[in-house]
Structures are given as structure tokens and as C-alpha cells.
Amino acid sequence: MNKALSTAKPDKEAIIFKAAVKIMTQKGFHKARMSDIAKEANISYGLIYHYFRNKDDLFDTIIHRWWGGLFRLMADMAEQVIPLHLKLMRIISYFLDTYQRHPGLVTIFITEISRSTANLTTDQLHHFKKFMLLTEGVIKEGQKQGILRSDFKARYLTNIFLGAIEAFVSTMVLADQKLKGNAQKERIASSILEVFINGAKHQVRPSNPALTQEASTG
Amino acid sequence: MNKALSTAKPDKEAIIFKAAVKIMTQKGFHKARMSDIAKEANISYGLIYHYFRNKDDLFDTIIHRWWGGLFRLMADMAEQVIPLHLKLMRIISYFLDTYQRHPGLVTIFITEISRSTANLTTDQLHHFKKFMLLTEGVIKEGQKQGILRSDFKARYLTNIFLGAIEAFVSTMVLADQKLKGNAQKERIASSILEVFINGAKHQVRPSNPALTQEASTG
Amino acid sequence: MNKALSTAKPDKEAIIFKAAVKIMTQKGFHKARMSDIAKEANISYGLIYHYFRNKDDLFDTIIHRWWGGLFRLMADMAEQVIPLHLKLMRIISYFLDTYQRHPGLVTIFITEISRSTANLTTDQLHHFKKFMLLTEGVIKEGQKQGILRSDFKARYLTNIFLGAIEAFVSTMVLADQKLKGNAQKERIASSILEVFINGAKHQVRPSNPALTQEASTG
Amino acid sequence: MNKALSTAKPDKEAIIFKAAVKIMTQKGFHKARMSDIAKEANISYGLIYHYFRNKDDLFDTIIHRWWGGLFRLMADMAEQVIPLHLKLMRIISYFLDTYQRHPGLVTIFITEISRSTANLTTDQLHHFKKFMLLTEGVIKEGQKQGILRSDFKARYLTNIFLGAIEAFVSTMVLADQKLKGNAQKERIASSILEVFINGAKHQVRPSNPALTQEASTG
DNA sequence: TATGAATGAGGGTTCATTCAT
DNA sequence: AATGAATGAACCCTCATTCAT
């Protein structure tokens, strides 16, 4: 029998994966039951254990896909010479695009990883720090090039930049909002990028005169 | 003799509250066991139920304290005429000060509320949206005064601003970092404020010439 | 100070007793909480333990009052020469009268004792059997006097007689019905008495001719 | 080979059911622990929850079986033309036969349902009332046919009849007595039937002359 | 592969009872 | 006599995981 034909069967592992993402998105890791996932995948729940060692393994696989894509992006960029704002734009786009295509994946990242000390395995924490460092590398480069101000730690600017992205995604996740087309996506992306770059750009004049003035008059 | 002084009575409710914050900070809501909390508070198992209806009630009480302080701040500011940057500074400070004094409280907010669709009760979600709206109000005011650019939705600017704050706190929470003195706190606060205000301020010239230029040269 | 005057204080023990009857009537022994009883009695729940050793003791006291009255009645009758139907009437009346005055007492007897093998202490079981035997004594006397038929065991007739009484009380208990005045009480009593005595009376003719006839014609 | 024969498969649900009846018979609903039932059924704790939603569900299932049989009997009889005394006999027999085959089932009915206001769900109460009404219907028919006296409410006669049955069963339940063969069963049945029918039969002469006479001579 | 019955540790909650005041 | 905070054993239920088929 033709093997190629028989593999037309729907890849069970992918089905389970998808079901797991959906259920964990809805209920969160702790409240997601293996039986829920099985039901969603339309299989018996014993079968999950043929494809995944256990619940944690299933979770890790999901998270791995998220990190995998992100690290691939960062690695790609590291090898190329790209202007700062385009690099930042790519990072922003990764979040927004992934949210558009796989909202659940992003939701799980936001709810279970990005903020959870409790669930964070050393492994996950390591990924998280690594991503922060890679982004910080991009920022530092911008500082070296004189595009970004250097009187603030690169780490601080990194927080501000990534925080903005996360806030948009979080808001959408919490409100169960979809991204309405590419126009919205681009507006969001440019708002993050412009505000960040303008706000963090190298200042010719002393730090923030207007601000200080207002403060003194207030 | 002064009664207030002599009654160094333990106030068990506060002790339990504190223990609950600590344990939930360490383990997260789901993995925090009532018995852990009791042990931490150095009391018997059942006594918790004397002071709190159940685990959820205990959690809600914690969260309520967080929201309570935040809404009190927002209400205070609404009644006064304060320049924009000072209002924003106060919001930043609330997060940083609370983190300094009660890191656990902020941790729980970040890990269990701010990001969790799954655990979010309608009540909590409502609080969250309300806070977003109040902050958006401040931003809109800034736009009306011509301080902040109006070509981006107030909601977008709000996300960027709040996202920056959360990112700092999240980072510290994840790394289990303490705020090292007021100097660090002020540096963080001013970085958030400056970058945001400079980045979001009303632009005299077209949107972002430098950015466009760089892009074309890149 | 005059002791007689001070004893005008409401006898706490009686108050607790009354509250216990009420709560146990409503909820049953198992679901009745000591705190419920205390609240009903308007006292702190620790105080119950000054007057009663524990929950079982409280229950036993209630039951004791029921059996006490019943055995006193049976003892009274044993010393007197009274016609059968009057004796039976007195037993019926004890149940109905007590139900009229203290519905809860009878309810508890019915629900927690009369039918409960599980809750039955050896002590209670002993009381129960003793009462059955005493009633059986009355019935046997009736058989000896030739008033009641002797071809059925006295125990059987006893069951039928007491069963009838209990059924009426049970029905009222279940329906939470009050006895509407003495008229109703008397009608019930006479129905039980007449049906029982007519049905159980010494038969001149063979067992039950009418019955056999009807059966053959049916 | 006959499949029906070969599948001597255990039918765990039935085993659990039986174990539950046994334990609840011994200890009553409240004191019966799920772990007791599991041990009695020789299965693991959690398996009970595979077959029954929870403890109440297990209890309800037991009770349902009791009511189910009884209502089926009543429905059967309603469709046929059967003389009164045979109908009554069938009701009596249902109680006695069921007791003979499943003493536990009857015990639970007697101890937990028939008498318990506290544990009675609205559902159970409804069943109870319905059964009373159906029996009352049989009695009323007897009154209409002139077989039973009509000067007592049908409801009263119903109480007396059903009370007698219950008393026999109760006594056996309390004494943990088995029915010793069919002979005893028939004697009990006929004693209930005869006493009731003779006692409740239509009277040619005024209400109860003998009774009154005896009373006056006593 | 696939099923779902079977297991049992784990944890929230209740509530009778004790005891310091 | 009176209070009610404090204790902790008891018990129901959940659900990840295993395993016989």
C-alpha cells in the first residue's frame, strides 16, 4: 500500500496540540483537564499519552513553538545588517502576526509564561531572560549608533519597548479581541515604534527641558 | 497604661493575609495550599476559615487591597488640577512604591490578574477595564491640552504607557529583584516618563521624518 | 438578695433544649450544627458545653423526654384497670397530643429514632423494644379477654396498631402539617381505634368470609 | 459459545450499587463514607466517581430503584380490573417481597426517606406524596364500591393501611430480622389485610356499637 | 494505535470540641 | 457563666496517570 496515501490521515499529534492550545487558552494551564483536551481533539484521553509524556510535556511543547519562532527571528536578524527601526518592527510584527494567526499561542505565552513566577520552570525562565538579552542587544546597538539615548540603561529601554508590545497583546487577549485586518495591525505597530523611537532617541538638547519647566510651574 | 500599646494583640487576620500573600507570591494561586498558608501564619488549618470564607475569598481580599489603593489614587487625581506629567508620575510611583513595600501584592497582581483570562472573574475584569479607562482619561486630557499627539488613539498611548510600567515590575518580579533604594526607583520612573512623554508628545513636524529618512537609507 | 427573684432568669438549659429541638427538627441530627443551635438560642456556642456534655448528650436528652413521657403513661396504665379501647386511646392520644404541643419532639422521634438503625444506640433500641413489649402486653390482655382475635400473634396486631399511629404522625411531619384543633385530633384517633378494634376483634365466624367471597366473585 | 454466558464480566456499576446499599443500610446515608463503599466493593476510591456523579447521585439511584418498582406496580394495577383486596395484597407483597430479596433497599427507604424530613429533597417528597395519592385512589375506589366505609376520609384509611405495612418492615429492619420463608410472609400479609379490611369495611349497623357497649361495661 | 476503566494521592472545606480569658 | 478564637480530624471530590485489552 502506498505510504504517502495513508499519511493523508490527520496527524494526531497536531490535532492534540491544537486542542491543547485551545483549551489552555480558555481555562489556563491548571484548570485545563487532559480529558477536556481529549474531548476537544475528539480522541480518547489515554491517547494523549502516546504522543506526549504528560501534561507538562504538552505544555512545554506549546511554549517551545512560541520560543522557537521568536528565537529564529532573533537569530536571523543577528546575521543581517538592518537598521534599528526595522529590527524593532520585526519583533513587534512577530507578536502581532502570531496573535493574528494563533491567538491561543500568544495568550498562553502571556498568561502562563510572561507573568507567572509560579509556573516558570528554570528552563522557561532561561528562555525569557535570553530573549530579553537578545532584544537588549538590539537596543544597545542602537545606542552605540547614536540613534538611541545612552543616558538610560539599555535594559530600561528594552523594558519600555517590550512592555508596550505586551500591553497591546494583553489587552486584546483579555478582551478576547481579534486584530481587525492589517490596517489595524500596522497602526498599532507604528504607534509602538514611533513613540518608542521618538521617546528614546538621542537628544541633542539637555534631557527634558519642557518637562522640567512644567514641573517647576506646576 | 496606654491600652493601644499594651494590646500588642496579634491580629490574626492580618497575619493570615500576609502569609497568604507570601505563599501565593511564591507558588501562585493554584499551587498555594491552604495548609501552606496556615503553616506560614503559624496557625491551625481551620482558623483561616474563621477569617475568610474560602480560598477565593482570601484571594479576592488580597486583590481588593491592590485595586483599592489604585482607585483611590485615580479618584484623588481626578479632583485636582495637576499637570499631565505629574499625574503619570503618580501612577508610575504607585506601582513602584507598592512593589517596594509589598512586592508580593504586586507580584500577585501581575501574575494572577493582569494577565490571566482564565482566572479572571467578571469582577476582576471589570476593575481592570475601569483602570484602563481612567488612565485613558488622563491621556485624553493630555491630547486635548496639546501636550500629547492626537494622531494616535488615546487607547494606544495608554497601552504603551502602562505596558512600560508593567514590564519593569514584571522583570523584577520574575527575577525576584528588589528595588535598590529610591535612586533606582527614580531612575526607572523618569525613564518611563521621559521616553513616553517625549515619544508621545505633540509633533510640530510631520510624523517621524528621522525615522523615514533612516528607513530610506537603510 | 432574694433567690426566688433572681431565678426569674430564663433557664438557659431549657432555652438550649428548645433550640436544639427546633434545629434538629428542621435539619435532622446530622445536619444540625452546634452553632445553629447556639444562634437559635441566642447564646455563644461554647455555652452549650456547660449544660450538655456534647452533641450526642443533647440529642439523648431530647429523646429521653420523649421516652420518659411515654413510659410514664404506660406505667400509669399498668397499675389501673381500664378497658382495652381506652388504653389504646391513651396511647394514640399521647402521640397526637405531644405532636400538638411539641411537634418537633415527635418529628425527631419519628425521623431519628423510630426509623433509624444507623443512629440507634443500644440504649435507644432498648427503649424502643421495651415500648413495643409494653404495647404488646396491652394487646395480649385484649386477646386474653376475648376482645381481640387470638389467631394472629399479638406482635402482629401491635405492629398494625402502632403503625397506624405512626403513619398519621409521619404524614403530618412530612407535610409540615399542624393538627387543626381537637376535632381533627378526635377524628383521627377514632379512625385508628375503630378500624383497629373492628378489624382485630374476635371473630365469631371463620376468619374472613366476606373477603373469600368477594375474591371468588372478583 | 454463548456470549451472554461467557461475559461473566463483573459489571462494576452493579457491584458499587450493591456495596452502597449495604453500607448505607448499616451506617445510614450520613455516616456512610465513600471509602467504605469502595472498600466493600473492592475497588479503588475514585472508580465510584466513574459510575456515579457523587454521593447524592449514588443515593438517588438507590432510591430511584425503589420508587421505580413501586410505581410500576401501581401503574400496572391501574390498568386492570382487580378486586380491592387483591390490589391491597399486591402493595403489601411489594414491600415484603422486596424486603426479602433486598432488605437493604427497604431499609434505606424506611430509614432515610419514609421518615426523614431533613434529608427529603423536593423530588423525594414528591414521589412520596404521589405514592400516597395512588394508594388513596385504590382506597377511594373501595369506598365507592361500598366495600370500605365512607365515614372516614380515604386519606385516613390510607394512613392506617400503609402504616401497618411500614410497621412490620420497620420492626424487621430495626431488629435486623430476616423474613423466615414464605409462610411467615403470608401470615404477615394476611394479618395486615384482614385486620384492615375487616376494620375498615362498610358497617351495616351504626358506627361501633360493640365498642360503645364494652366501654360502658368496662 | 486506540480505548476508557481503574487507581489513589492531594487538597479544600466543615464542624464538634477545647480553652484562654 | 459566658465568649468565641483556635484546633485538627474527617471526608468528599478531582484529575493526572497507568494499564489491560
Side-chain angles (χ1 to χ4, degrees):
Chain A
M1 198 170 60
N2 191 328
K3 183 113 190 274
L5 275 176
S6 69
T7 43
K9 72 173 175 183
D11 181 359
K12 282 281 165 69
E13 187 170 330
I15 292 175
I16 294 170
F17 181 92
K18 209 172 164 184
V21 169
K22 182 167 180 184
I23 299 297
M24 288 190 182
T25 300
Q26 282 169 8
K27 304 193 160 193
F29 176 76
H30 280 104
K31 288 189 186 160
R33 281 166 296 187
M34 293 301 263
S35 61
D36 289 333
I37 294 170
K39 200 178 292 168
E40 175 68 30
N42 227 20
I43 56 161
S44 80
Y45 54 89
L47 194 56
I48 299 179
Y49 290 86
H50 269 280
Y51 296 94
F52 300 91
R53 215 164 337 115
N54 52 33
K55 196 181 176 185
D56 280 324
D57 185 35
L58 188 46
F59 181 67
D60 285 346
T61 305
I62 294 173
I63 290 306
H64 198 263
R65 174 160 312 182
W66 165 263
W67 288 124
L70 197 48
F71 284 128
R72 226 170 297 125
L73 169 72
M74 300 305 279
D76 275 3
M77 290 199 304
E79 295 173 354
Q80 302 168 38
V81 180
I82 313 175
L84 174 72
H85 72 275
L86 281 186
K87 284 193 176 180
L88 297 181
M89 183 55 102
R90 285 219 196 149
I91 295 174
I92 295 170
S93 293
Y94 181 81
F95 280 80
L96 296 182
D97 289 347
T98 309
Y99 182 73
Q100 204 170 18
R101 275 190 313 233
H102 310 292
L105 203 59
V106 183
T107 303
I108 291 175
F109 167 73
I110 292 289
T111 58
E112 304 287 338
I113 297 296
S114 159
R115 304 297 161 163
S116 161
T117 41
N119 303 329
L120 230 50
T121 59
T122 328
D123 207 44
Q124 300 293 356
L125 191 58
H126 175 253
H127 284 153
F128 201 85
K129 286 182 176 170
K130 187 177 157 194
F131 171 61
M132 291 284 296
L133 277 176
L134 289 172
T135 310
E136 200 178 322
V138 175
I139 299 287
K140 269 185 179 156
E141 216 180 279
Q143 289 181 320
K144 234 178 272 173
Q145 295 169 4
I147 305 174
L148 299 179
R149 55 195 290 180
S150 298
D151 56 338
F152 288 139
K153 282 185 183 179
R155 163 60 47 98
Y156 286 8
L157 296 181
T158 306
N159 280 338
I160 294 171
F161 175 65
L162 291 180
I165 302 177
E166 274 193 41
F168 273 96
V169 181
S170 287
T171 306
M172 291 186 292
V173 161
L174 286 178
D176 200 18
Q177 238 172 17
K178 299 268 165 270
L179 263 175
K180 294 157 205 147
N182 288 331
Q184 191 190 15
K185 201 168 65 181
E186 276 157 31
R187 241 172 310 138
I188 290 174
S190 72
S191 76
I192 297 173
L193 192 60
E194 282 195 30
V195 171
F196 176 71
I197 291 210
N198 278 327
K201 76 176 167 212
H202 179 71
Q203 308 279 326
V204 183
R205 292 161 301 171
S207 187
N208 56 346
L211 202 66
T212 327
Q213 255 178 21
E214 276 169 29
S216 61
T217 53
Chain B
M1 196 171 63
N2 190 330
K3 183 119 191 268
L5 278 175
S6 69
T7 43
K9 77 163 180 180
D11 187 1
K12 285 286 165 65
E13 186 169 332
I15 291 175
I16 295 170
F17 181 92
K18 211 171 162 183
V21 169
K22 181 168 180 185
I23 298 296
M24 288 190 182
T25 299
Q26 282 169 11
K27 305 195 163 194
F29 175 76
H30 281 105
K31 287 189 186 159
R33 283 166 297 180
M34 294 301 264
S35 60
D36 289 333
I37 295 171
K39 203 176 292 170
E40 174 67 30
N42 222 23
I43 54 158
S44 81
Y45 197 90
L47 192 58
I48 300 178
Y49 291 87
H50 226 75
Y51 294 95
F52 300 91
R53 227 186 345 270
N54 52 33
K55 196 180 176 183
D56 279 324
D57 185 36
L58 189 46
F59 182 68
D60 285 347
T61 305
I62 293 173
I63 291 307
H64 198 264
R65 174 159 314 181
W66 165 263
W67 287 123
L70 197 48
F71 284 129
R72 226 170 297 125
L73 169 72
M74 299 305 279
D76 274 3
M77 290 198 305
E79 294 172 354
Q80 302 168 36
V81 179
I82 312 176
L84 174 73
H85 72 276
L86 281 186
K87 283 192 176 180
L88 298 180
M89 182 55 104
R90 284 218 195 151
I91 294 173
I92 297 170
S93 293
Y94 182 80
F95 279 79
L96 296 183
D97 288 347
T98 308
Y99 182 72
Q100 203 170 18
R101 274 190 312 235
H102 309 293
L105 202 59
V106 182
T107 302
I108 292 176
F109 168 72
I110 291 289
T111 58
E112 304 286 337
I113 298 298
S114 156
R115 303 299 161 162
S116 161
T117 42
N119 304 327
L120 229 51
T121 60
T122 327
D123 206 44
Q124 300 293 357
L125 192 58
H126 175 254
H127 285 154
F128 199 84
K129 286 182 175 170
K130 187 177 157 194
F131 171 60
M132 291 284 296
L133 276 176
L134 288 172
T135 309
E136 200 178 322
V138 174
I139 299 287
K140 268 184 181 157
E141 216 181 278
Q143 291 180 318
K144 231 179 275 175
Q145 294 170 4
I147 305 176
L148 300 180
R149 55 194 291 178
S150 297
D151 55 339
F152 287 138
K153 281 185 185 179
R155 163 60 48 98
Y156 287 8
L157 297 182
T158 306
N159 280 337
I160 295 171
F161 174 65
L162 291 180
I165 301 177
E166 274 192 42
F168 273 96
V169 180
S170 288
T171 306
M172 291 187 291
V173 161
L174 286 179
D176 199 18
Q177 239 172 16
K178 298 268 166 271
L179 264 174
K180 294 156 204 148
N182 288 332
Q184 191 190 14
K185 200 167 66 181
E186 276 158 28
R187 240 169 313 140
I188 291 174
S190 73
S191 75
I192 297 173
L193 192 59
E194 283 193 30
V195 172
F196 176 71
I197 291 211
N198 279 327
K201 76 177 168 210
H202 180 71
Q203 308 279 326
V204 184
R205 291 163 299 170
S207 187
N208 55 350
L211 203 65
T212 328
Q213 258 178 19
E214 277 166 29
S216 61
T217 52
Chain C
M1 195 171 63
N2 191 329
K3 182 115 191 268
L5 276 175
S6 68
T7 44
K9 70 170 176 187
D11 182 359
K12 283 280 166 67
E13 187 170 331
I15 291 175
I16 294 170
F17 182 92
K18 209 170 165 184
V21 168
K22 182 166 179 185
I23 298 297
M24 289 191 181
T25 300
Q26 283 170 7
K27 305 195 161 192
F29 175 75
H30 279 104
K31 287 189 187 161
R33 281 166 294 187
M34 294 301 262
S35 61
D36 289 333
I37 295 170
K39 200 178 292 171
E40 175 68 31
N42 227 20
I43 56 161
S44 80
Y45 56 87
L47 193 56
I48 300 179
Y49 290 86
H50 268 281
Y51 294 95
F52 300 93
R53 216 165 334 117
N54 52 32
K55 195 179 176 185
D56 281 323
D57 185 36
L58 187 48
F59 182 68
D60 286 346
T61 306
I62 294 173
I63 291 305
H64 198 261
R65 174 161 311 183
W66 165 263
W67 288 124
L70 195 49
F71 285 129
R72 226 170 296 124
L73 169 73
M74 299 306 279
D76 274 4
M77 291 200 303
E79 292 173 357
Q80 302 169 37
V81 180
I82 313 177
L84 175 72
H85 72 276
L86 281 186
K87 284 192 175 180
L88 297 181
M89 184 54 104
R90 284 221 196 146
I91 294 173
I92 296 170
S93 293
Y94 182 81
F95 279 79
L96 296 182
D97 290 347
T98 308
Y99 182 72
Q100 206 170 17
R101 275 190 312 233
H102 309 292
L105 203 58
V106 183
T107 302
I108 291 175
F109 168 73
I110 292 289
T111 58
E112 304 288 337
I113 296 296
S114 159
R115 303 297 161 164
S116 163
T117 42
N119 304 328
L120 230 50
T121 60
T122 331
D123 205 45
Q124 300 291 358
L125 191 58
H126 175 252
H127 284 154
F128 201 85
K129 286 182 174 170
K130 187 177 157 193
F131 171 61
M132 291 286 294
L133 277 176
L134 288 172
T135 310
E136 199 178 324
V138 175
I139 299 286
K140 268 184 180 156
E141 215 181 278
Q143 290 180 318
K144 232 178 273 174
Q145 293 170 5
I147 304 174
L148 299 180
R149 53 193 295 178
S150 297
D151 55 340
F152 288 140
K153 281 184 183 178
R155 162 60 49 100
Y156 286 9
L157 298 181
T158 305
N159 279 338
I160 294 170
F161 174 66
L162 291 180
I165 302 177
E166 273 194 41
F168 274 97
V169 181
S170 288
T171 306
M172 290 187 293
V173 162
L174 286 178
D176 198 20
Q177 239 172 15
K178 299 270 164 268
L179 265 173
K180 294 157 204 147
N182 289 331
Q184 190 190 16
K185 200 167 67 181
E186 275 158 30
R187 243 171 309 141
I188 289 174
S190 74
S191 76
I192 297 173
L193 192 59
E194 282 194 31
V195 171
F196 176 71
I197 291 212
N198 279 327
K201 77 175 167 215
H202 179 71
Q203 307 278 326
V204 184
R205 292 161 301 169
S207 186
N208 57 347
L211 202 64
T212 326
Q213 261 180 18
E214 276 168 28
S216 59
T217 53
Chain D
M1 195 171 63
N2 190 329
K3 181 113 191 271
L5 278 175
S6 68
T7 44
K9 77 163 181 179
D11 189 2
K12 287 283 166 64
E13 186 169 334
I15 291 175
I16 294 170
F17 182 92
K18 212 172 162 183
V21 168
K22 182 167 178 185
I23 298 297
M24 288 191 182
T25 301
Q26 282 169 11
K27 305 195 162 192
F29 175 77
H30 281 105
K31 287 188 188 162
R33 282 167 297 179
M34 295 302 264
S35 62
D36 289 333
I37 294 170
K39 203 176 291 169
E40 174 68 31
N42 222 22
I43 55 158
S44 80
Y45 193 92
L47 193 57
I48 301 178
Y49 291 87
H50 226 74
Y51 294 95
F52 300 92
R53 224 183 350 265
N54 53 32
K55 196 179 176 184
D56 279 322
D57 185 37
L58 189 46
F59 183 68
D60 285 346
T61 305
I62 294 173
I63 290 307
H64 198 262
R65 175 160 311 183
W66 165 263
W67 287 124
L70 197 48
F71 284 127
R72 227 171 294 124
L73 170 72
M74 300 304 280
D76 275 3
M77 290 199 304
E79 294 173 355
Q80 302 168 38
V81 179
I82 313 176
L84 175 74
H85 71 277
L86 281 185
K87 284 193 174 179
L88 297 180
M89 184 54 104
R90 286 221 194 146
I91 293 173
I92 297 170
S93 294
Y94 181 82
F95 279 80
L96 296 181
D97 289 347
T98 307
Y99 183 73
Q100 206 171 17
R101 277 191 311 234
H102 309 292
L105 202 58
V106 183
T107 302
I108 291 175
F109 168 72
I110 292 288
T111 57
E112 303 286 338
I113 298 299
S114 154
R115 303 298 162 165
S116 160
T117 43
N119 304 327
L120 230 51
T121 59
T122 328
D123 205 45
Q124 300 292 358
L125 190 59
H126 175 252
H127 284 155
F128 200 84
K129 286 182 174 170
K130 187 177 158 193
F131 171 60
M132 290 285 296
L133 276 176
L134 288 172
T135 310
E136 199 178 323
V138 174
I139 299 287
K140 269 185 179 154
E141 214 181 279
Q143 290 181 319
K144 235 179 268 174
Q145 294 169 4
I147 304 173
L148 299 180
R149 54 193 295 179
S150 297
D151 56 339
F152 287 138
K153 282 185 184 177
R155 163 60 48 101
Y156 286 10
L157 297 181
T158 305
N159 280 337
I160 294 171
F161 173 66
L162 291 179
I165 302 177
E166 274 193 40
F168 273 97
V169 180
S170 287
T171 306
M172 291 187 293
V173 161
L174 286 179
D176 199 18
Q177 239 172 16
K178 299 269 163 271
L179 263 175
K180 293 156 205 148
N182 288 332
Q184 190 190 16
K185 200 167 67 182
E186 275 157 28
R187 242 171 309 136
I188 290 174
S190 73
S191 75
I192 296 172
L193 192 59
E194 282 193 30
V195 171
F196 176 72
I197 291 211
N198 278 328
K201 77 174 167 216
H202 181 72
Q203 308 279 326
V204 184
R205 292 162 301 169
S207 186
N208 57 348
L211 201 65
T212 326
Q213 259 180 19
E214 276 168 28
S216 60
T217 52

